[in-house]
Amino acid sequence: MGFQTGFEHIVREGELLAKYTWLRLGGAAQFFAEPTNLDELLGLVRRCKEEDMPVRLLGGGSNLLVSGQGVLGLVIHLTAAEFARVSVQDGLVTAGGAAKLSHLIASAVRDGWGGLEALAGVPGSVGGALHGNASCHGIDIGQYTREATVVTFTGEVVTRQRDDLVFAYRESSLDELVILDARFELESTDPEELTKRMQKQWIVNKAAQPLQNENTAMIFRDPGGISAARLIEDAGVKSARFGGAGISDRNANYIVTEPEATSEDVLELIEYLKQRVAERLGVELQTAIDIW
Ligand SMILES: Cc1cc2nc3c(=O)[nH]c(=O)nc-3n(C[C@H](O)[C@H](O)[C@H](O)COP(=O)(O)OP(=O)(O)OC[C@H]3O[C@@H](n4cnc5c(N)ncnc54)[C@H](O)[C@@H]3O)c2cc1C
């Protein structure tokens, strides 16, 4: 029996990952699957466990740098509607891990549930946001999370309650393979007022990001509350460039890539920025982006 036996309809070999990432970079996944329902997802995860096959979860690709060599094992991409539902009931907002964060925020705001609108303009999925505790202006998704249902690397479905979850700056204890869905406890607020706040946040957040048509990623965490963008500027390395990878004119904490860029260009640029900021300002920058 081959790895794909029984899953031929959802598994592809050698799928190029570049098109799934915001940087538009990266080689192929050995295997790539888009399960259409939970049973298929669990079957795949268990097959990986049985065959000792590495397995990863791809969300919206806005926080990922994939090696030019690609990745061994299986990459799972959740595209089926079943994984992306959002519902609001009695103040409890439930969202699938594959739902867009923007969909969760807009649904909550429309029904008068506030808090998450501070994250308007942050790209990616709900699962990706929970995995890395997405935050903006001191508000993070973790603070509104009541519980999350996950699929473990052994293929079990487990619901983790608030008391069992730890969220810190750009970090969360939700490190299982798949965040299937989560429930958020939000604050009852006038929908009109919330809509205004969401629109304002969106404009503020977008103005601090590279342009819509640029291939980009946010690179570093802000160390101890100091802006990483500011540190890169103060270290005098804002014009650094390796191959097709340079720094955004709008915000020095974003790398932007030209079509000829490679993942290795981005890695070299990251390393260069870390070294120069450490040498010149004595601060160790840590990456926020996940590197595969
Ligand atoms: C223009 C731009 C602006 C940004 N602004 C901000 C910002 O203001 N604040 C901020 O915090 N971040 C910001 N980011 C980073 C990024 O948007 C967030 O980290 C986002 O939450 C990543 O979600 P994603 O679905 O794209 O994850 P991906 O990039 O697909 O994956 C990132 C990690 O999350 C894991 N993951 C994804 N989905 C799931 C899931 N369902 N279950 C388990 N693990 C999962 C992946 O395995 C991977 O390890 C920005 C990025 C860009 C490009």
Short mmCIF file of all heavy atoms in Angstrom, two decimals, residues 28-71:
data_model
loop_
_atom_site.label_atom_id
_atom_site.label_comp_id
_atom_site.label_asym_id
_atom_site.label_seq_id
_atom_site.Cartn_x
_atom_site.Cartn_y
_atom_site.Cartn_z
N ALA A 28 8.49 22.64 -3.86
CA ALA A 28 7.29 21.79 -3.86
C ALA A 28 7.15 21.00 -2.55
O ALA A 28 8.12 20.71 -1.87
CB ALA A 28 7.39 20.80 -5.02
N ALA A 29 5.91 20.64 -2.26
CA ALA A 29 5.63 19.71 -1.17
C ALA A 29 5.70 18.30 -1.77
O ALA A 29 5.17 18.08 -2.87
CB ALA A 29 4.25 19.95 -0.60
N GLN A 30 6.33 17.37 -1.05
CA GLN A 30 6.37 15.99 -1.55
C GLN A 30 4.94 15.51 -1.82
O GLN A 30 4.63 15.01 -2.89
CB GLN A 30 7.07 15.11 -0.51
CG GLN A 30 7.27 13.69 -0.95
CD GLN A 30 7.92 12.86 0.17
OE1 GLN A 30 8.14 13.33 1.29
NE2 GLN A 30 8.22 11.62 -0.16
N PHE A 31 4.08 15.69 -0.82
CA PHE A 31 2.64 15.40 -0.98
C PHE A 31 1.86 16.62 -0.49
O PHE A 31 2.29 17.30 0.45
CB PHE A 31 2.23 14.18 -0.16
CG PHE A 31 2.88 12.91 -0.61
CD1 PHE A 31 3.90 12.34 0.14
CD2 PHE A 31 2.49 12.28 -1.79
CE1 PHE A 31 4.51 11.17 -0.27
CE2 PHE A 31 3.11 11.12 -2.20
CZ PHE A 31 4.11 10.55 -1.45
N PHE A 32 0.70 16.84 -1.10
CA PHE A 32 -0.12 18.01 -0.78
C PHE A 32 -1.58 17.55 -0.79
O PHE A 32 -2.01 16.91 -1.76
CB PHE A 32 0.11 19.08 -1.86
CG PHE A 32 -0.62 20.37 -1.63
CD1 PHE A 32 -0.05 21.38 -0.86
CD2 PHE A 32 -1.85 20.61 -2.22
CE1 PHE A 32 -0.69 22.59 -0.67
CE2 PHE A 32 -2.51 21.83 -2.03
CZ PHE A 32 -1.93 22.82 -1.26
N ALA A 33 -2.32 17.84 0.27
CA ALA A 33 -3.70 17.34 0.32
C ALA A 33 -4.69 18.41 0.71
O ALA A 33 -4.40 19.24 1.58
CB ALA A 33 -3.79 16.18 1.32
N GLU A 34 -5.85 18.36 0.05
CA GLU A 34 -6.95 19.26 0.42
C GLU A 34 -8.15 18.37 0.79
O GLU A 34 -8.99 18.07 -0.06
CB GLU A 34 -7.26 20.19 -0.75
CG GLU A 34 -6.10 21.14 -1.01
CD GLU A 34 -6.35 22.18 -2.09
OE1 GLU A 34 -6.90 21.81 -3.15
OE2 GLU A 34 -5.99 23.34 -1.88
N PRO A 35 -8.19 17.92 2.06
CA PRO A 35 -9.30 17.04 2.48
C PRO A 35 -10.64 17.77 2.37
O PRO A 35 -10.69 18.98 2.58
CB PRO A 35 -8.96 16.70 3.93
CG PRO A 35 -8.02 17.76 4.39
CD PRO A 35 -7.29 18.23 3.18
N THR A 36 -11.68 17.01 2.05
CA THR A 36 -12.98 17.66 1.85
C THR A 36 -13.86 17.58 3.10
O THR A 36 -14.91 18.20 3.15
CB THR A 36 -13.73 17.03 0.66
OG1 THR A 36 -13.97 15.65 0.97
CG2 THR A 36 -12.93 17.12 -0.63
N ASN A 37 -13.44 16.78 4.08
CA ASN A 37 -14.22 16.72 5.33
C ASN A 37 -13.33 16.22 6.47
O ASN A 37 -12.17 15.83 6.24
CB ASN A 37 -15.46 15.83 5.16
CG ASN A 37 -15.08 14.42 4.71
OD1 ASN A 37 -14.16 13.82 5.25
ND2 ASN A 37 -15.75 13.92 3.69
N LEU A 38 -13.88 16.21 7.68
CA LEU A 38 -13.09 15.87 8.86
C LEU A 38 -12.58 14.43 8.82
O LEU A 38 -11.44 14.14 9.19
CB LEU A 38 -13.93 16.10 10.13
CG LEU A 38 -13.22 15.81 11.46
CD1 LEU A 38 -11.97 16.67 11.64
CD2 LEU A 38 -14.18 16.03 12.63
N ASP A 39 -13.42 13.50 8.32
CA ASP A 39 -12.99 12.10 8.27
C ASP A 39 -11.74 11.95 7.41
O ASP A 39 -10.81 11.23 7.77
CB ASP A 39 -14.10 11.20 7.69
CG ASP A 39 -15.16 10.92 8.75
OD1 ASP A 39 -14.87 11.17 9.93
OD2 ASP A 39 -16.26 10.48 8.36
N GLU A 40 -11.75 12.63 6.27
CA GLU A 40 -10.58 12.55 5.38
C GLU A 40 -9.36 13.18 6.06
O GLU A 40 -8.25 12.65 5.97
CB GLU A 40 -10.86 13.27 4.05
CG GLU A 40 -11.78 12.48 3.15
CD GLU A 40 -12.05 13.18 1.82
OE1 GLU A 40 -11.63 14.34 1.64
OE2 GLU A 40 -12.70 12.56 0.96
N LEU A 41 -9.58 14.29 6.73
CA LEU A 41 -8.46 14.95 7.42
C LEU A 41 -7.87 14.00 8.47
O LEU A 41 -6.64 13.79 8.53
CB LEU A 41 -8.96 16.25 8.08
CG LEU A 41 -7.98 16.94 9.02
CD1 LEU A 41 -6.73 17.41 8.28
CD2 LEU A 41 -8.64 18.15 9.71
N LEU A 42 -8.74 13.39 9.29
CA LEU A 42 -8.24 12.49 10.34
C LEU A 42 -7.55 11.27 9.74
O LEU A 42 -6.51 10.81 10.24
CB LEU A 42 -9.39 12.06 11.26
CG LEU A 42 -10.07 13.19 12.04
CD1 LEU A 42 -11.21 12.66 12.90
CD2 LEU A 42 -9.06 13.94 12.91
N GLY A 43 -8.12 10.76 8.65
CA GLY A 43 -7.51 9.60 7.98
C GLY A 43 -6.10 9.93 7.51
O GLY A 43 -5.17 9.13 7.67
N LEU A 44 -5.94 11.10 6.94
CA LEU A 44 -4.62 11.52 6.44
C LEU A 44 -3.62 11.65 7.58
O LEU A 44 -2.47 11.20 7.48
CB LEU A 44 -4.72 12.88 5.75
CG LEU A 44 -5.21 12.91 4.32
CD1 LEU A 44 -5.54 14.34 3.91
CD2 LEU A 44 -4.16 12.33 3.37
N VAL A 45 -4.06 12.28 8.66
CA VAL A 45 -3.15 12.50 9.80
C VAL A 45 -2.73 11.15 10.38
O VAL A 45 -1.55 10.92 10.67
CB VAL A 45 -3.83 13.39 10.88
CG1 VAL A 45 -2.93 13.53 12.10
CG2 VAL A 45 -4.16 14.76 10.31
N ARG A 46 -3.67 10.23 10.48
CA ARG A 46 -3.33 8.90 11.03
C ARG A 46 -2.41 8.14 10.09
O ARG A 46 -1.49 7.46 10.53
CB ARG A 46 -4.61 8.11 11.32
CG ARG A 46 -5.35 8.71 12.51
CD ARG A 46 -6.70 8.09 12.76
NE ARG A 46 -7.42 8.87 13.76
CZ ARG A 46 -8.74 8.99 13.83
NH1 ARG A 46 -9.51 8.36 12.95
NH2 ARG A 46 -9.30 9.72 14.78
N ARG A 47 -2.63 8.30 8.79
CA ARG A 47 -1.74 7.64 7.81
C ARG A 47 -0.31 8.18 7.97
O ARG A 47 0.66 7.42 7.92
CB ARG A 47 -2.27 7.90 6.39
CG ARG A 47 -1.43 7.33 5.25
CD ARG A 47 -1.48 5.81 5.15
NE ARG A 47 -2.82 5.26 5.04
CZ ARG A 47 -3.53 5.15 3.91
NH1 ARG A 47 -3.01 5.56 2.77
NH2 ARG A 47 -4.73 4.62 3.91
N CYS A 48 -0.19 9.48 8.16
CA CYS A 48 1.14 10.08 8.35
C CYS A 48 1.79 9.49 9.60
O CYS A 48 2.99 9.18 9.61
CB CYS A 48 1.06 11.60 8.49
SG CYS A 48 0.69 12.41 6.94
N LYS A 49 1.00 9.35 10.65
CA LYS A 49 1.54 8.80 11.91
C LYS A 49 2.03 7.36 11.67
O LYS A 49 3.14 7.01 12.05
CB LYS A 49 0.42 8.86 12.96
CG LYS A 49 0.70 8.16 14.25
CD LYS A 49 1.57 9.00 15.15
CE LYS A 49 1.90 8.25 16.43
NZ LYS A 49 3.28 8.38 16.81
N GLU A 50 1.18 6.56 11.00
CA GLU A 50 1.55 5.14 10.74
C GLU A 50 2.83 5.05 9.91
O GLU A 50 3.66 4.18 10.13
CB GLU A 50 0.45 4.45 9.92
CG GLU A 50 -0.77 4.00 10.72
CD GLU A 50 -2.01 3.89 9.79
OE1 GLU A 50 -1.85 3.73 8.55
OE2 GLU A 50 -3.10 3.99 10.34
N GLU A 51 2.95 5.93 8.93
CA GLU A 51 4.08 5.82 7.99
C GLU A 51 5.25 6.72 8.37
O GLU A 51 6.17 6.88 7.60
CB GLU A 51 3.59 6.15 6.57
CG GLU A 51 2.41 5.31 6.20
CD GLU A 51 2.50 4.74 4.80
OE1 GLU A 51 3.35 5.18 4.03
OE2 GLU A 51 1.69 3.85 4.51
N ASP A 52 5.14 7.35 9.56
CA ASP A 52 6.23 8.21 10.03
C ASP A 52 6.54 9.32 9.02
O ASP A 52 7.69 9.64 8.75
CB ASP A 52 7.49 7.35 10.23
CG ASP A 52 8.18 7.73 11.51
OD1 ASP A 52 7.64 8.61 12.20
OD2 ASP A 52 9.26 7.17 11.79
N MET A 53 5.50 9.85 8.45
CA MET A 53 5.62 10.88 7.40
C MET A 53 5.46 12.26 8.06
O MET A 53 4.48 12.49 8.76
CB MET A 53 4.49 10.64 6.39
CG MET A 53 4.32 11.66 5.32
SD MET A 53 5.45 11.46 3.95
CE MET A 53 4.85 9.99 3.14
N PRO A 54 6.42 13.17 7.85
CA PRO A 54 6.24 14.52 8.41
C PRO A 54 4.97 15.15 7.85
O PRO A 54 4.63 14.93 6.69
CB PRO A 54 7.47 15.30 7.93
CG PRO A 54 8.41 14.29 7.38
CD PRO A 54 7.64 13.06 7.03
N VAL A 55 4.29 15.94 8.67
CA VAL A 55 3.04 16.56 8.20
C VAL A 55 2.96 17.99 8.74
O VAL A 55 3.35 18.25 9.87
CB VAL A 55 1.81 15.71 8.60
CG1 VAL A 55 1.78 15.40 10.08
CG2 VAL A 55 0.50 16.37 8.19
N ARG A 56 2.48 18.89 7.88
CA ARG A 56 2.37 20.31 8.26
C ARG A 56 1.03 20.84 7.78
O ARG A 56 0.44 20.30 6.86
CB ARG A 56 3.43 21.15 7.54
CG ARG A 56 4.84 20.72 7.77
CD ARG A 56 5.67 21.30 6.63
NE ARG A 56 6.95 20.64 6.53
CZ ARG A 56 8.06 21.06 7.11
NH1 ARG A 56 8.07 22.18 7.79
NH2 ARG A 56 9.18 20.40 6.98
N LEU A 57 0.66 21.97 8.40
CA LEU A 57 -0.61 22.60 8.04
C LEU A 57 -0.34 23.97 7.42
O LEU A 57 0.38 24.77 8.01
CB LEU A 57 -1.44 22.73 9.33
CG LEU A 57 -2.95 22.82 9.24
CD1 LEU A 57 -3.41 24.16 8.72
CD2 LEU A 57 -3.56 21.70 8.42
N LEU A 58 -0.89 24.18 6.26
CA LEU A 58 -0.75 25.48 5.60
C LEU A 58 -2.05 26.26 5.78
O LEU A 58 -3.13 25.74 5.51
CB LEU A 58 -0.51 25.22 4.10
CG LEU A 58 -0.55 26.39 3.14
CD1 LEU A 58 0.64 27.31 3.35
CD2 LEU A 58 -0.56 25.89 1.70
N GLY A 59 -1.93 27.50 6.25
CA GLY A 59 -3.12 28.35 6.38
C GLY A 59 -3.18 29.30 5.20
O GLY A 59 -3.08 28.89 4.04
N GLY A 60 -3.25 30.60 5.50
CA GLY A 60 -3.31 31.60 4.42
C GLY A 60 -1.96 31.93 3.82
O GLY A 60 -1.87 32.72 2.88
N GLY A 61 -0.88 31.38 4.39
CA GLY A 61 0.46 31.58 3.84
C GLY A 61 1.01 32.99 4.02
O GLY A 61 1.97 33.37 3.35
N SER A 62 0.46 33.75 4.97
CA SER A 62 0.94 35.13 5.15
C SER A 62 2.07 35.22 6.17
O SER A 62 2.62 36.29 6.38
CB SER A 62 -0.21 36.05 5.57
OG SER A 62 -0.71 35.69 6.83
N ASN A 63 2.40 34.09 6.79
CA ASN A 63 3.49 34.11 7.77
C ASN A 63 4.45 32.96 7.53
O ASN A 63 4.95 32.36 8.48
CB ASN A 63 2.92 34.05 9.19
CG ASN A 63 3.87 34.67 10.20
OD1 ASN A 63 4.54 35.65 9.90
ND2 ASN A 63 3.96 34.07 11.37
N LEU A 64 4.70 32.66 6.27
CA LEU A 64 5.50 31.49 5.92
C LEU A 64 6.56 31.80 4.89
O LEU A 64 6.28 32.43 3.88
CB LEU A 64 4.59 30.43 5.28
CG LEU A 64 3.90 29.40 6.13
CD1 LEU A 64 3.22 28.40 5.21
CD2 LEU A 64 4.85 28.71 7.08
N LEU A 65 7.77 31.30 5.17
CA LEU A 65 8.83 31.30 4.17
C LEU A 65 9.17 29.84 3.91
O LEU A 65 9.62 29.13 4.81
CB LEU A 65 10.06 32.05 4.69
CG LEU A 65 11.30 31.95 3.79
CD1 LEU A 65 11.04 32.53 2.42
CD2 LEU A 65 12.49 32.68 4.45
N VAL A 66 8.92 29.38 2.69
CA VAL A 66 9.17 27.98 2.34
C VAL A 66 10.50 27.89 1.59
O VAL A 66 10.75 28.67 0.66
CB VAL A 66 8.03 27.43 1.44
CG1 VAL A 66 8.30 25.99 1.05
CG2 VAL A 66 6.68 27.55 2.15
N SER A 67 11.33 26.94 1.99
CA SER A 67 12.64 26.75 1.34
C SER A 67 12.48 26.48 -0.16
O SER A 67 11.51 25.85 -0.60
CB SER A 67 13.32 25.55 2.00
OG SER A 67 14.24 24.97 1.12
N GLY A 68 13.46 26.92 -0.92
CA GLY A 68 13.47 26.64 -2.35
C GLY A 68 13.55 25.15 -2.65
O GLY A 68 13.16 24.69 -3.73
N GLN A 69 14.07 24.38 -1.68
CA GLN A 69 14.16 22.92 -1.84
C GLN A 69 12.79 22.24 -1.65
O GLN A 69 12.67 21.05 -1.87
CB GLN A 69 15.08 22.30 -0.76
CG GLN A 69 16.42 22.98 -0.58
CD GLN A 69 17.28 22.78 -1.80
OE1 GLN A 69 17.42 21.67 -2.28
NE2 GLN A 69 17.82 23.87 -2.32
N GLY A 70 11.82 23.01 -1.17
CA GLY A 70 10.52 22.42 -0.89
C GLY A 70 10.53 21.70 0.45
O GLY A 70 11.47 21.84 1.23
N VAL A 71 9.47 20.92 0.72
CA VAL A 71 9.38 20.23 2.01
C VAL A 71 9.05 18.75 1.81
O VAL A 71 8.25 18.39 0.93
CB VAL A 71 8.34 20.87 2.96
CG1 VAL A 71 8.76 22.26 3.39
CG2 VAL A 71 6.96 20.92 2.34
#
